[in-house]
Amino acid sequence: MNPIKTFKKGGVHPEENKFSADQDFPMPKQIIVPLGQCLGAPAECIVNKGDRVLTGQLIGTAKGFVSANVHSPATGTVAKVDVVMDHSGYYKPAVFIDREEQDEWAPGILVTDELLTDIKLDGKAIIDKVKECGIVGMGGATFPTHVKMMVPEGKKAEYVIINAAECEPYLTCDYRLLLEKTQEFLIGVKIVMKGVGTDKGIIGIETNKMPAIELLDQTIKAHPDLYAGIEVQPLKTKYPQGGEKQIIKAITGREVPSGKLPIETGCVVVNVASTYAIYEAVQKNKPLIERIVTVTGKAIKKPSNFRCRFGVPADLLIEAAGGMPEDITDVINGGPMMGKSVSVTSFPTMKGTSGILLMTLHEAQDRRQTNCIRCGRCAKACPMGLQPFLLHKVAKLNDFDETEKNHIMDCIECGSCEFTCPANIPLLDYIRYGKAKTGAIIKARNQK
């Protein structure tokens, strides 16, 4: 086993709370499939009310370069094409499908549990298939994966890094996937390697997941020819170890330059769930229509990992995990560090729904804010080497020249600064605000 590595700048170690079990989740009679399931333009609906759709059938086509196709997670009839309030609290376009009891799969999709190891597609065809099947980053960012795999002319991918850190407290969906679909995942790694044109794949995983580390190591050693070029790199359990720039630094020692993409370091980083989805897309022609979702919290009766199709309302998953405890005051889409509080629990699950976290008043109550004491803890904790106390101040003053000068766009919004602040200042809220405004100014300037 390789020696344990980590990134050097900043980082924190929140309470882990990794205690979810696993099970499959039955689908409800009606599912709601949002058309905007990626970081980019929403898909354009290509079905109408009354249409019968098959499981895996394309129902929304990618619109623009940064966009992703959307497919039907079930067989049924389109009840309507309307809007639904998603996890963001905004109404977004969606397809409402009245589900039939039995799946009838769209033509060409291979429905089998057999492990398929022969990768027949070439690099370009792999990327085209990833695009066709609507694969996105399933760690939460939902950036279209085919775009990430398109190495720009003049650049070379030396490493494929699989982000298996899952450093966000409470979440265990990727961990369960590694344990249950080990070989399928590893074939997915080989597919990504072939797609970007490299023979080196590194799986970065935190040491609080030793059973997965050992299983991956054993499987690779048992099939040295099949998994040639893949190695497992244990990482120190530290947040945000799973940040794209942090995991590159930890594994390769290379640093992504400010304002640049990971390919500048010769790395392409892909999430665990996305890697497994790529295996299913390339080997079985199966589009991305389901994932594992962690439903958890200290007060939850049955913390669980549910394998569910997209479009299942979150409140049904909560009910299956034992129901909503009376003292819950905060429902979070994602984990406690980077997740967002939701105003409704009926939002439909989709490609980026990694977890649903329920927190009690004691855990989530607002803390009394006091004045900044200039302790510097936020700067020390920042994994990007920024000065959160300064970015908070200039963002609050709407001084966007200063936010840009002080590299606010480099912020990965991990929340380490706010986690360590003894004055309980909402640093991240103001930095997100400043980042959004600064990004809009930069975009408008570049379009002139």
Side-chain angles (χ1 to χ4, degrees):
M1 186 181 297
N2 290 330
I4 298 170
K5 294 183 178 181
T6 190
F7 60 97
K8 294 182 179 179
K9 290 181 184 176
V12 294
H13 192 171
E15 189 177 356
E16 293 175 24
N17 296 309
K18 306 268 190 180
F19 40 65
S20 305
D22 62 296
Q23 56 187 298
D24 289 335
F25 187 81
M27 297 186 70
K29 184 62 180 175
Q30 186 180 76
I31 56 174
I32 306 168
V33 188
L35 290 165
Q37 297 198 42
C38 73
L39 180 66
E44 185 173 7
C45 184
I46 59 171
V47 295
N48 299 297
K49 180 180 178 180
D51 289 352
R52 183 172 184 265
V53 295
L54 306 181
T55 306
Q57 177 181 325
L58 183 68
I59 60 174
T61 56
K63 190 176 181 181
F65 181 63
V66 182
S67 187
N69 288 340
V70 174
H71 300 77
S72 175
T75 300
T77 302
V78 177
K80 60 180 178 178
V81 179
D82 204 343
V83 294
V84 66
M85 184 182 290
D86 68 7
H87 61 278
S88 69
Y90 291 96
Y91 283 94
K92 304 286 182 63
V95 179
F96 293 67
I97 300 172
D98 290 332
R99 186 180 65 86
E100 297 176 10
E101 286 300 319
Q102 297 296 322
D103 280 318
E104 181 179 344
W105 290 84
I109 299 174
L110 186 59
V111 184
T112 175
D113 290 330
E114 180 186 358
L115 177 68
L116 304 177
T117 61
D118 186 16
I119 306 168
K120 298 178 180 179
L121 301 185
D122 62 20
K124 182 181 183 305
I126 286 171
I127 295 174
D128 289 343
K129 181 60 67 175
V130 168
K131 179 180 180 180
E132 176 190 325
C133 290
I135 313 299
V136 302
M138 295 168 69
T142 65
F143 188 81
T145 304
H146 71 274
V147 178
K148 181 177 286 191
M149 292 177 67
M150 295 168 64
V151 179
E153 189 175 346
K155 303 295 180 183
K156 177 175 173 54
E158 297 178 53
Y159 300 98
V160 163
I161 294 178
I162 304 301
N163 186 350
E166 198 165 35
C167 59
E168 182 82 63
Y170 289 93
L171 302 188
T172 55
C173 49
D174 285 350
Y175 177 49
R176 294 308 315 174
L177 187 55
L178 289 172
L179 293 176
E180 295 170 15
K181 299 292 183 179
T182 310
Q183 293 214 66
E184 291 87 346
F185 161 75
L186 288 171
I187 295 297
V189 179
K190 292 292 289 187
I191 293 170
V192 178
M193 290 163 61
K194 187 174 182 180
V196 303
T198 183
D199 58 0
K200 298 177 182 177
I202 305 174
I203 303 166
I205 180 168
E206 288 189 328
T207 53
N208 60 353
K209 305 172 188 66
M210 284 307 300
I213 291 174
E214 292 167 357
L215 180 58
L216 288 166
D217 256 337
Q218 291 166 6
T219 306
I220 292 169
K221 289 175 182 176
H223 307 276
D225 294 332
L226 185 58
Y227 303 126
I230 302 177
E231 64 177 274
V232 180
Q233 176 57 63
L235 301 171
K236 182 178 179 180
T237 302
K238 183 171 74 166
Y239 180 86
Q241 191 75 256
E244 197 169 50
K245 295 180 180 180
Q246 283 66 45
I247 202 167
I248 290 172
K249 179 68 175 178
I251 290 175
T252 69
R254 302 175 183 180
E255 194 154 336
V256 180
S258 177
K260 300 294 184 179
L261 297 174
I263 193 60
E264 295 292 329
T265 65
C267 299
V268 174
V269 183
V270 183
N271 166 263
V272 167
S274 303
T275 303
Y276 175 71
I278 289 170
Y279 163 80
E280 293 206 303
V282 172
Q283 303 297 79
K284 301 182 180 181
N285 198 36
K286 181 181 175 182
L288 181 53
I289 59 171
E290 65 182 358
R291 68 163 300 150
I292 297 176
V293 179
T294 301
V295 183
T296 188
K298 291 182 178 180
I300 288 283
K301 291 181 181 178
K302 297 184 292 183
S304 303
N305 279 304
F306 294 111
R307 186 185 304 276
C308 70
R309 303 270 182 93
F310 302 141
V312 174
D315 50 9
L316 294 186
L317 296 178
I318 295 171
E319 188 64 30
M324 183 78 73
E326 291 184 2
D327 58 346
I328 293 298
T329 58
D330 208 4
V331 178
I332 298 172
N333 177 57
M337 299 298 287
M338 294 188 74
K340 307 287 178 64
S341 293
V342 297
S343 56
V344 295
T345 58
S346 58
F347 66 91
T349 55
M350 48 187 182
K351 298 177 183 181
T353 310
S354 57
I356 301 167
L357 171 61
L358 277 61
M359 303 191 79
T360 64
L361 177 64
H362 175 70
E363 296 172 280
Q365 65 182 345
D366 291 334
R367 299 172 296 172
R368 187 173 64 88
Q369 181 180 337
T370 58
N371 293 328
C372 175
I373 60 173
R374 299 284 179 176
C375 65
R377 291 185 189 176
C378 61
K380 185 177 180 180
C382 179
M384 295 304 299
L386 303 176
Q387 299 180 72
F389 63 89
L390 175 60
L391 293 175
H392 156 262
K393 181 179 179 180
V394 292
K396 193 174 182 179
L397 293 172
N398 292 319
D399 189 346
F400 303 120
D401 286 338
E402 284 299 314
T403 57
E404 185 176 356
K405 287 178 184 177
N406 286 279
H407 307 290
I408 197 170
M409 299 308 295
D410 286 348
C411 172
I412 62 172
E413 301 181 27
C414 67
S416 295
C417 56
E418 192 166 320
F419 179 80
T420 60
C421 179
N424 300 322
I425 297 170
L427 297 166
L428 184 56
D429 290 341
Y430 281 101
I431 292 173
R432 277 178 173 154
Y433 164 74
K435 186 178 175 182
K437 291 290 187 180
T438 305
I441 291 168
I442 293 172
K443 183 178 180 180
R445 184 171 66 226
N446 291 340
Q447 289 176 343
K448 290 181 180 179

